[in-house]
């Protein structure tokens, strides 16, 4: 906290933190929020302006189940509410295909603009806040074959431009 205070005194203006993945255990269906809660509390303590959070670390198939999706949304809303009440914005970050992924319902959620937009819109509705936006990881969008051929950077901007509140 002292270092951040010094940084702010010499002109530091925008402090952002990155949250660890929020993961659903596929065997027990439990969502462990302990490290997410710790980071949210630290973000408040340090006076962060923004918090970046990956889309859920689970499959498209898992989130197509209405009950599973709602439980994950509720978990995210719980974490988001901890920082939103302190005027800290939240940026939901897109992810990308990896060598172990296949471009089907078994792959991780959040590789397409539509998935990210729907997640953000659902969270905004639940949290009643437009301070939840899109953190656009351009490298993730660009290195996302085969989806990068279908969703060029310009498509991401067209689909999510009004939601963007951060980049990297």
């Amino acid at each position: 906290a002292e270092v951040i205070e010094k940084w702010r005194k010499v002109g530091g203006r925008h402090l952002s933190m990155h949250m660890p993945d929020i993961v659903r255990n596929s065997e027990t269906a439990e969502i462990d929020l302990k490290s997410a809660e710790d980071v949210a509390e630290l973000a408040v303590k340090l006076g962060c302006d923004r918090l970046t959070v990956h889309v859920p670390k689970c499959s498209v198939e898992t989130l197509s189940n209405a009950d599973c999706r709602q439980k994950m949304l509720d978990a995210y809303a719980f974490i988001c509410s901890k920082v939103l009440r302190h005027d800290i914005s939240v940026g939901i970050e897109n992810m990308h295909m990896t060598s172990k992924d296949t471009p089907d319902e078994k792959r991780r959620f959040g590789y397409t603009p539509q998935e990210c937009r729907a997640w953000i819109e659902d969270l905004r509705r639940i949290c009643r806040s437009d301070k939840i936006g899109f953190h656009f990881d351009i490298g993730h969008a660009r290195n996302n074959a085969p989806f990068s051929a279908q969703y060029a950077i310009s498509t991401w901007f067209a689909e999510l431009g009004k939601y963007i509140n951060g980049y990297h």
Side-chain angles (χ1 to χ4, degrees):
E2 289 175 26
V3 173
I4 291 171
E5 186 59 33
K6 285 181 187 178
W7 171 75
R8 288 199 185 273
K9 285 182 180 176
V10 296
R13 294 183 305 152
H14 190 82
L15 184 61
S16 180
M17 284 185 79
H18 203 304
M19 168 110 23
D21 283 333
I22 296 175
V23 180
R24 178 184 176 273
N25 183 311
S26 58
E27 292 178 19
T28 66
E30 295 294 317
I31 302 168
D32 182 6
L33 292 177
K34 176 64 177 132
S35 50
E37 284 187 88
D38 291 346
V39 169
E41 288 171 17
L42 183 59
V44 170
K45 180 180 177 181
L46 297 177
C48 286
D49 302 288
R50 197 169 168 290
L51 188 63
T52 299
V53 185
H54 287 160
V55 289
K57 191 170 185 178
C58 56
S59 70
V60 172
E61 181 179 58
T62 296
L63 286 182
S64 68
N65 175 291
D67 185 52
C68 290
R69 184 177 181 89
Q70 190 59 55
K71 286 179 182 171
M72 190 61 88
L73 279 164
D74 291 343
Y76 269 68
F78 175 75
I79 293 300
C80 288
S81 68
K82 289 183 169 294
V83 299
L84 289 169
R85 72 178 127 224
H86 295 279
D87 203 32
I88 298 172
S89 299
V90 175
I92 303 296
E93 182 180 346
N94 56 305
M95 297 307 293
H96 65 89
M97 291 285 284
T98 67
S99 60
K100 64 182 177 189
D101 287 321
T102 54
D104 58 22
E105 299 297 304
K106 303 282 185 205
R107 68 171 168 78
R108 184 173 175 176
F109 177 81
Y111 295 174
T112 70
Q114 296 84 2
E115 290 166 359
C116 293
R117 188 182 63 242
W119 190 254
I120 291 164
E121 288 172 349
D122 284 350
L123 274 176
R124 282 179 161 206
R125 181 183 43 76
I126 292 168
C127 294
R128 296 185 176 118
S129 176
D130 62 357
K131 291 186 73 70
I132 299 170
F134 179 54
H135 181 90
F136 188 23
D137 188 317
I138 296 168
H140 285 180
R142 188 167 280 139
N143 299 308
N144 194 24
F147 296 111
S148 49
Q150 185 177 358
Y151 303 110
I153 300 299
S154 59
T155 304
W156 284 89
F157 281 117
E159 296 268 343
L160 286 147
K162 71 180 184 178
Y163 296 108
I164 293 174
N165 65 6
Y167 298 89
H168 71 233

